[in-house]
Amino acid sequence: MAPSQKHCEDPGPTVRLVFLGAAGVGKTALIQRFLTGRFESRHRRTVEELHGLECALGPRRVSLEVLDTSGSYSFPAMRRLSIRRAHAVALVFSLAEPDTFQEARRLRDEVAALRAGEDPPLPVLVVGNQADLLPGGLGPRPPLAEHLAATAELEWGCSYLETSAKQDYNVQRLFQDLLLQVPLPCPGLPSPALRRRRWTEGQARVAPQGHAGGKRASCSVQ
């Protein structure tokens, strides 16, 4: 949707979304699908890559930064710094490789330790990617996937979402869910809880606003 005519007078804050997870789970593929609308099947090793775009979040414009991190253990200091600077975190694992959930668990513990005691707490979304590779494809969840979802939601207290970068399944919703959980004080901007409720009622969406240099130049979230 087009941005509202009513905006805050300040230029708007910077919101940083940080993607964490084991190597090969599709963090880069999810980000590139969102930014460019394309899917690259070849795995490319990432050290750290930061993408920026402008986003209209209700009546407020924000500078959105999306940080793609390494799945390697070789850069612990960089990972800790990325967690400390995050406004919301996506913990990505592969539904086709359940062992990668253990790395998501370890990262969740690291996030909890580094950001303990914050009010409101740092939004964390657990993302089961590569759902298209499950035996039933994008159909009903198998028992193991149900168990992993329950662990994320009930044991960790995190939101949970299944995605497929290849099939463009729930990719926009992934970014929608992350953005709607970030508290942004601004007159006229609903609270994160109200914005999430509007999403579940089908009243909110992420909408591309064109491309620049192969990357989506802006987005709109109602």
Side-chain angles (χ1 to χ4, degrees), residues 18 20-21 89-93 104 107-108 111 124-128 156 158:
V18 175
L20 301 170
V89 168
L91 295 179
V92 186
F93 73 98
L107 288 166
R108 180 262 174 190
V111 170
V124 176
L125 175 62
V126 180
V127 183
W156 300 355
C158 298

Side-chain angles (χ1 to χ4, degrees), residues 39-211:
F39 173 74
E40 174 59 59
S41 58
R42 180 174 60 89
H43 176 253
R44 176 172 57 86
R45 185 173 180 268
T46 302
V47 175
E48 188 173 275
E49 191 167 356
L50 184 65
H51 306 269
L53 65 157
E54 296 301 313
C55 190
L57 194 60
R60 165 159 248 179
R61 294 204 68 83
V62 300
S63 296
L64 178 62
E65 295 180 346
V66 182
L67 184 64
D68 188 5
T69 66
S70 171
S72 167
Y73 288 99
S74 304
F75 308 99
M78 290 176 63
R79 185 177 61 252
R80 289 193 295 270
L81 183 61
S82 69
I83 293 170
R84 289 192 178 102
R85 292 181 172 177
H87 295 98
V89 168
L91 295 179
V92 186
F93 73 98
S94 172
L95 286 163
E97 299 181 43
D99 287 349
T100 61
F101 188 77
Q102 297 310 312
E103 174 64 3
R105 181 189 294 274
R106 190 191 67 78
L107 288 166
R108 180 262 174 190
D109 292 344
E110 185 172 6
V111 170
L114 288 171
R115 302 293 294 264
E118 294 188 5
D119 185 22
L122 177 71
V124 176
L125 175 62
V126 180
V127 183
N129 192 37
Q130 301 177 342
D132 57 290
L133 298 181
L134 289 171
L138 299 179
R141 287 177 184 164
L144 179 57
E146 289 282 4
H147 172 71
L148 298 180
T151 299
E153 294 175 336
L154 302 179
E155 180 181 329
W156 300 355
C158 298
S159 302
Y160 176 81
L161 185 69
E162 291 177 357
T163 61
S164 167
K166 182 176 182 179
Q167 299 295 329
D168 198 12
Y169 173 68
N170 275 344
V171 175
Q172 289 195 5
R173 178 167 180 175
L174 160 60
F175 286 84
Q176 176 84 53
D177 281 5
L178 285 169
L179 279 169
L180 294 186
Q181 293 184 59
V182 176
L184 289 174
C186 173
L189 184 65
S191 67
L194 179 56
R195 282 182 275 146
R196 288 196 299 272
R197 188 165 75 244
R198 286 181 176 177
W199 164 256
T200 61
E201 294 171 352
Q203 299 176 21
R205 62 193 179 97
V206 170
Q209 301 277 308
H211 294 75

